[in-house]
Amino acid sequence: MPNIKSAKKRVKVNDKKALRNKAIKSDLKTALKKANAAAAENSADKEAVIKQAIKKVDKACAKGVIHKNNAARKKSSLAKLLAE
């Protein structure tokens, strides 16, 4: 446990950021699973679900939770699903 005031604050801030990142990443994974499931069963709302997943990928990238190349790769695979 840190003794210096600034180090104590860093611990608090890092915990808060880790929780935010975890929430965003979890939301992203859920959206990707829903998009893949919708594409697999060719559901009626496939396009809306995939577009929502692409939006979540963009948001995660903007927040710095995932790398921009990782985001581009995920968006590309989602676009492939949409085109099928």
Side-chain angles (χ1 to χ4, degrees):
M1 193 68 204
N3 293 322
I4 298 168
K5 187 176 182 181
S6 62
K8 288 179 185 176
K9 183 176 180 181
R10 291 287 356 132
V11 169
K12 285 184 182 178
V13 170
N14 288 338
D15 288 345
K16 197 180 259 189
K17 283 185 179 181
L19 279 175
R20 187 199 70 182
N21 290 344
K22 189 175 180 181
I24 293 171
K25 200 166 233 181
S26 175
D27 201 25
L28 173 64
K29 286 179 185 178
T30 304
L32 291 174
K33 284 180 188 174
K34 282 183 183 176
N36 287 327
E41 60 193 32
N42 206 11
S43 65
D45 64 339
K46 176 176 94 166
E47 186 176 340
V49 173
I50 291 176
K51 284 187 177 183
Q52 185 67 29
I54 290 174
K55 189 175 179 181
K56 300 271 185 195
V57 170
D58 282 334
K59 188 171 185 174
C61 181
K63 299 279 185 183
V65 176
I66 60 173
H67 192 272
K68 66 176 187 171
N69 291 350
N70 188 350
R73 190 173 67 248
K74 287 185 191 307
K75 284 172 61 176
S76 175
S77 68
L78 288 168
K80 267 176 137 177
L81 289 177
L82 193 58
E84 288 177 356

